[in-house]
Amino acid sequence: MHPKRRAALIETLAQGVEHVGPEFERFAGIVMGALRDVRLTHAGVNLRGYPVAGVVDSESDDGREAIEYSDHNGYFDGSMAKAEADLLKVLKDRPAAQQIYLVSGARARPQKAADFKARVRAWPQMVGKVLSLFGSEEIATEIVDHLLFDEQVVGRLAPYLSDLRRIVDEEVAAALVPSLPSDILLRPNVDVEIVARLAAQPVLTIAGMGGLGKSVAAMAYADAHRGAYQIRLWIDGEKVKRAESLRAFPLVRAGDPRNIAGLLEAGGCLLVIDDAPQDISIEALTKYCCRGSHVILTRRLVRLGAYEPPLLTRDEAQAILDSSGQICPPAVFEAIWASVNGYPLCLNLLRAAARAAVPWADLADDCRAVGKLLDDDGIRLVDRLLGRLKNQLRQELSVFLWAKLPAVDTAFLTHEVAQVGVRNLNAYGLTSIDRGGLVRLHDVVFAALKSLDWCDAARSAELDQTLQAFIVKVANEPGLRLWTLARALMPKLEAMVAAGLDKGPCLYALLAVWEPDEVRPDLVGNPVTAAARLSHGPRAPLAVITAIEAVEQLFLIDKHEGDQVARKRLEERMPVFAALAALPHLTSRERAQIQHHEGKALKRLNRPVEAAERFEAVLAGPFPMDEARLQLVTIYRSNPTKTAETIALVNAVFGRWDAGEDVTYSVILGLIERLPAGEGRWRNDIIAGHAEAIKTTIVEASNQGVGQGPRAFATLGRFISTEMPDLFMDIFHQIPAPVLDGLADGNRFAWAEIYAEAARIPGVDAVALRADALRFYDAITRPADFHDQRRAELLIDMGHAAEAEKVLLRLATKKSTEWLERLLARTRLELGDPAGALVRIDVALALLKSEHFRSEFLELRYDIRLKLGDEYARQDLESAIAASQKKAERQKLSERLRLQLKG
């Protein structure tokens, strides 16, 4: 125990001992009885709890030990007459006693006690005897040092000491901090990073995939820095729902709540929450931490600011394998490294197998099939993990084998095996933490499971049918159930469509969630042919919308070949809508969907008037769709005569969302993407008025892995990063940080934009954020001209104007636009050529069509003319103020004008 904490606990309990009162003799008897190695008889208190006069209070059965108790306040004061009288009574009544204790609830004064002992030691009758004096502090010391973990004794003492149960529970929890295994490879670089991050911020999240070593990293830190904390606590994340629950948390027993938050606030406390829930508030935990207290969270999902331990280096991997007792041959190591890289879990399993005398050559062949590896007892890992669970969990685990995936949608798994099945998977410790909506098996469990034949053909066919029926059931729900299902099972859905096992629902689910870069035309087929087939015989429940969504996705794919190609092919597919509209027995939903998507197609073909007619018809029909309102916002938002209608449409959608009505995430996210664009000064008020709904939707969608969440934020972020920076940062800090390698180009671009806009917020680390933005821009595999243009703007912000200018001039050779000319004006200004910059900005203003951007262009021309010494430069600033359609921008420009006039 940390010395400071030990001293604090002794003082707390000593104060409690001093207030035990009339029952002190019974209380002290329990303490002394627990401390002695021999049996004691307590004669000084009768069955009713009253003192018995004239007898020695306690003595051992062999008569060698005797104890006197007293709750007298002045027991250790003055001449210590009462203590002397008690000692004389023992010497008279029990002359054979060799060890004598005088025990009081009063606090002993060390010098007074020493003088007393020296005086009585000279008595003849004390020859060969030992005297010990126990005051409140000595009793408390004995309890802290020897009795805290004795459950039976604590239970008997707790009624007398109000703080004892809390202290015991805290110490038991501290004792539960796992010991670092002796064969764990220490990683100084990880410890250094944890130390540095905790020095900057008291709460640290260690995140990453299962088996990465997150818990081991926390364990190693707690072990290495035990001297820096008065108390260390380790809690399983499943027991902590909210940070606020730490105010009253059952550490060990289901008894009184314990205030862990109070321990953090008192200082010197390290709290580790292992597998912490994703929604626990970092801000609340941070507020609890005072004077050297820290919190470490381990979790799977990597959010912004989390520390993701790196995979092991080649040297570390080699060290783990070599610590098996035999050196791993270079050729074998290369084979293993090529398969498992620096993944700690696999490397440790291979080391265990090598220790079991499995030849290295065999391990090089078997390193991917970890289920076949043998543990220290020579038992296959799969048998150790799952061998006894066949009867209990075969149905549940067969779903993962059928899907050929380690993670399965929670709603579908629950539908198939019920809540009890999911609970059983958790109860047997087979699952690990993942984002909401998924049940994920530990990687090693899934790898082992693959070596078992727990899903035969009949079970597989049964699950195929169940999945399709479930898709039909959730297809029209407004939430994210379809999205999470399809994203989780995408490889399985694609395999079923490719194998001809799908009767329609699987393809629809794929069309609903595929990112443009993921669409497989070979699975989509020809929607014109599909629509024609529907007129022959009965049609499946989702057949109409599947044909419609096929047209939608194919258009997005065709855009990679250019807008003209995409429009030409879309025109060729337009007969799909007429064919679908002619089908008999259409539902009102299907008729509305046909009209709506025909309107979208017409809008893409640059026929906005006809498109708007379709959308208005949907809203006037028996099945009005929010998707139609969204499309009308897109059409009307730049028309000043339609401002009132645009605002009404936006408010209608958000109003239904606030009321809990059936509004899909895609509609709200689509609306968020469209709000910043268009003419008019109404955007600030609309965004501010619906800020909570906007934030909630983006955060929830992003945390579920919905790519449209960050994409919507990227578009909105260009507006609110300067207009509403607090709202921007509130969203920015709550959405999970991306893993670059797993993103499609569209999402890489979105995150590049997000980081670039975040760098504009006052008080941030702009250099680091812009470096992140550039990394994501550079990772786009097929950059469009707009991607390059935005990357060039970032380069200007980073001070690399010359490099940016090369990119912009190349783009300008294809087609000069107002934005390219404006950026070229910026590069000229940065490179010391304001005259050339003025030429460029004048061209940009001549090309400008969107009036709501005019203020930005005029402000830049003001800067350029100011650099040229133009005495009339402020005319551009005045014009920019008049043209601005943003509140914060107008305020900034007005302040610049005021300062210019003042100067």
Side-chain angles (χ1 to χ4, degrees), residues 54 110 199 218 260 444 526 585 635 662 751 792 808 821 899:
I260 295 181
V444 65
N526 186 337
H585 311 302
I635 295 173
D662 292 350
W751 271 101
L808 295 168
E821 294 296 337
L899 293 174

Side-chain angles (χ1 to χ4, degrees), residues 1 59 104 378 588 876:
M1 185 183 298
E59 63 178 306
S104 172
S588 57
D876 280 335

Side-chain angles (χ1 to χ4, degrees), residues 770-788:
R770 285 173 178 147
D772 284 334
L774 186 62
R775 185 164 54 91
F776 278 78
Y777 278 127
D778 289 342
I780 299 173
T781 56
R782 292 192 293 180
D785 289 348
F786 182 61
H787 298 157
D788 289 338

Side-chain angles (χ1 to χ4, degrees), residues 756-802:
E757 293 303 320
R760 303 182 191 278
I761 308 294
V764 301
D765 187 348
V767 173
L769 289 167
R770 285 173 178 147
D772 284 334
L774 186 62
R775 185 164 54 91
F776 278 78
Y777 278 127
D778 289 342
I780 299 173
T781 56
R782 292 192 293 180
D785 289 348
F786 182 61
H787 298 157
D788 289 338
Q789 175 188 307
R790 292 290 292 173
R791 179 180 179 276
E793 184 167 357
L794 175 69
L795 290 172
I796 298 172
D797 293 340
M798 297 175 75
H800 305 315

Side-chain angles (χ1 to χ4, degrees), residues 191-224:
D191 188 69
V192 166
E193 184 68 23
I194 293 175
V195 170
R197 288 175 179 252
L198 287 176
Q201 179 70 25
V203 180
L204 170 65
T205 299
I206 304 177
M209 61 181 173
L212 190 60
K214 306 180 292 295
S215 299
V216 169
M219 198 186 307
Y221 174 84
D223 182 75

Side-chain angles (χ1 to χ4, degrees), residues 282-353:
I282 302 297
E283 290 76 15
L285 292 173
T286 300
K287 291 177 182 177
Y288 293 153
C289 293
C290 298
R291 296 190 296 277
S293 286
H294 294 128
V295 178
I296 296 177
L297 311 175
T298 71
R299 54 168 50 134
R300 194 179 191 89
L301 188 61
V302 181
R303 283 182 170 171
L304 191 66
Y307 171 51
E308 187 174 5
L311 292 173
L312 298 171
T313 65
R314 289 176 61 92
D315 289 344
E316 288 171 331
Q318 183 82 60
I320 284 179
L321 296 174
D322 289 348
S323 67
S324 63
Q326 49 181 320
I327 301 300
C328 179
V332 172
F333 175 79
E334 291 302 328
I336 293 174
W337 181 260
S339 268
V340 304
N341 199 260
Y343 188 39
L345 177 59
C346 284
L347 291 166
N348 283 314
L349 288 169
L350 291 168
R351 174 179 62 180

Side-chain angles (χ1 to χ4, degrees), residues 365-577:
D365 294 332
D366 296 342
C367 62
R368 292 184 182 88
V370 295
K372 298 179 181 179
L373 295 178
L374 302 179
D375 65 11
D376 292 338
D377 297 323
I379 300 172
R380 289 193 316 163
L381 178 61
V382 65
D383 296 327
R384 176 69 74 189
L385 286 173
L386 304 173
R388 298 179 180 178
L389 302 178
K390 181 176 182 179
N391 294 334
Q392 297 97 318
L393 294 177
R394 177 168 182 162
Q395 283 289 98
E396 290 82 352
L397 292 172
S398 68
V399 178
F400 295 87
L401 280 175
W402 160 80
K404 297 182 179 179
L405 294 167
V408 172
D409 175 65
T410 302
F412 174 70
L413 184 63
T414 304
H415 173 77
E416 171 58 22
V417 301
Q419 284 286 356
V420 65
V422 178
R423 286 199 304 269
N424 286 340
L425 288 172
N426 296 328
Y428 283 109
L430 303 183
T431 58
S432 61
I433 302 298
D434 208 308
R435 68 170 185 265
L438 294 181
V439 175
R440 175 178 290 277
L441 295 181
H442 280 293
D443 294 339
V444 65
V445 173
F446 181 66
L449 179 64
K450 289 189 292 184
S451 63
L452 297 173
D453 183 19
W454 284 8
C455 186
D456 57 22
R459 175 65 171 154
S460 183
E462 174 190 343
L463 288 169
D464 289 346
Q465 297 303 314
T466 302
L467 175 62
Q468 295 181 67
F470 189 72
I471 291 172
V472 172
K473 176 183 176 183
V474 303
N476 295 318
E477 292 182 1
L480 290 171
R481 285 225 291 182
L482 177 64
W483 194 93
T484 55
L485 169 72
R487 291 302 301 184
L489 295 178
M490 185 180 293
K492 181 63 180 179
L493 294 169
E494 290 178 343
M496 288 179 64
V497 175
L501 300 174
D502 175 38
K503 296 179 180 178
C506 296
L507 178 57
Y508 168 71
L510 290 168
L511 290 166
V513 303
W514 263 330
E515 298 287 351
D517 292 343
E518 296 171 335
V519 178
R520 289 180 53 180
D522 60 309
L523 300 184
V524 176
N526 186 337
V528 177
T529 304
R533 279 200 305 266
L534 295 182
S535 61
H536 307 294
R539 59 179 182 270
L542 300 175
V544 171
I545 189 60
T546 300
I548 292 172
E549 290 290 349
V551 174
E552 171 93 5
Q553 289 289 2
L554 290 173
F555 173 80
L556 296 177
I557 294 177
D558 293 338
K559 281 178 69 70
H560 290 306
E561 299 182 46
D563 289 344
Q564 287 186 339
V565 172
R567 290 195 187 102
K568 179 178 180 296
R569 292 177 183 170
L570 178 58
E571 192 75 63
E572 293 170 355
R573 297 183 188 115
M574 288 300 289
V576 166
F577 300 105

Side-chain angles (χ1 to χ4, degrees), residues 227-244:
Y229 300 98
Q230 294 184 35
I231 186 170
R232 303 171 304 144
L233 304 174
W234 187 285
I235 300 175
D236 290 333
E238 65 181 12
K239 299 178 181 177
V240 185
K241 302 302 180 186
R242 300 165 58 247
E244 292 74 11

